[in-house]
Amino acid sequence: MCNKVNESSTIVEGLKAEYPEVFSTALGKCTKVTMKLWLKPDQQPVFRSKHPVAYSSYQAVEDELDRLRRLRIIKPVDNSEWAAPIDIFVKPANCMVFSIIDMSDSYLQLEVDEALEDALELYAINTHRGIYKVNRLAPGVKAAPGAFQQVVDAILAGLEHTCGYLDDVIIGVWGYGSLD
């Protein structure tokens, strides 16, 4: 059984005023590491065709591509030997009480190491508007969840009752009593 607890807006507004960078809606950027991508020896390029975009999702996908381009996370290119189609995914303790902090655009906060020019060539998406190179870690990359989890685990190391799960930070209270 799970109950949602709503705090008074005074407390929330106070936290937002004290920690504006935590509550910012702007794209964050991890400054501790950049992602390094390597190929196994003798790998052949894989270029997957674009997927059609459902009419009901078309405007949302258009808006997201525009947003990512404005933020310089993607940039259009004429061609690429490597490309993966975009897809739309929906995501889903022993704590008695818990709070979840959802990191917005979490993977996109990690830059891909530009020293590895070959890696950026591998890192392209194919859309109905053309091919884009990606400069940040994107959720569709096979190694992204594991790589991102390692970064989050390192950042949260030593914090009790706190763990990272996908793009969430889960903070738990393990027993009854005051939440002070």
Side-chain angles (χ1 to χ4, degrees):
M1 178 180 287
C2 187
N3 293 314
K4 183 175 182 178
V5 178
N6 291 320
E7 293 291 334
S8 72
S9 62
T10 307
I11 294 171
V12 173
E13 292 307 316
L15 288 170
K16 286 181 177 180
E18 189 173 350
Y19 304 102
E21 67 282 357
V22 173
F23 294 95
S24 170
T25 58
L27 175 63
K29 180 177 172 183
C30 178
T31 58
K32 304 297 182 193
V33 297
T34 59
M35 300 309 302
K36 293 175 175 36
L37 304 174
W38 292 276
L39 281 179
K40 292 179 183 177
D42 301 321
Q43 291 295 305
Q44 297 297 314
V46 176
F47 185 94
R48 299 285 185 230
S49 296
K50 62 187 176 224
H51 289 181
V53 177
Y55 181 76
S56 61
S57 301
Y58 191 85
Q59 191 58 53
V61 173
E62 284 281 305
D63 293 346
E64 182 65 0
L65 289 171
D66 289 340
R67 184 184 78 87
L68 294 174
R69 189 170 179 189
R70 270 192 318 276
L71 291 171
R72 301 178 68 190
I73 291 170
I74 63 173
K75 66 180 179 181
V77 294
D78 291 329
N79 58 50
S80 177
E81 290 185 14
W82 298 82
I86 59 171
D87 226 329
I88 300 170
F89 296 97
V90 178
K91 293 184 185 170
N94 293 329
C95 291
M96 299 302 296
V97 177
F98 61 91
S99 179
I100 298 175
I101 299 170
D102 182 33
M103 292 181 267
S104 63
D105 294 324
S106 54
Y107 291 8
L108 298 179
Q109 295 184 38
L110 295 174
E111 290 183 301
V112 174
D113 192 333
E114 291 183 19
L116 302 170
E117 284 296 320
D118 292 341
L120 291 177
E121 173 64 23
L122 304 173
Y123 215 40
I125 58 172
N126 195 3
T127 78
H128 64 286
R129 288 186 7 190
I131 302 168
Y132 294 85
K133 294 237 183 199
V134 183
N135 302 318
R136 304 274 186 108
L137 182 63
V141 174
K142 186 176 181 179
F148 185 77
Q149 188 72 51
Q150 285 181 333
V151 171
V152 170
D153 288 346
I155 291 170
L156 299 177
L159 296 177
E160 288 187 24
H161 311 301
T162 304
C163 64
Y165 179 71
L166 298 174
D167 67 342
D168 295 328
V169 176
I170 302 169
I171 303 139
V173 177
W174 295 95
Y176 294 99
S178 174
L179 297 177
D180 294 335

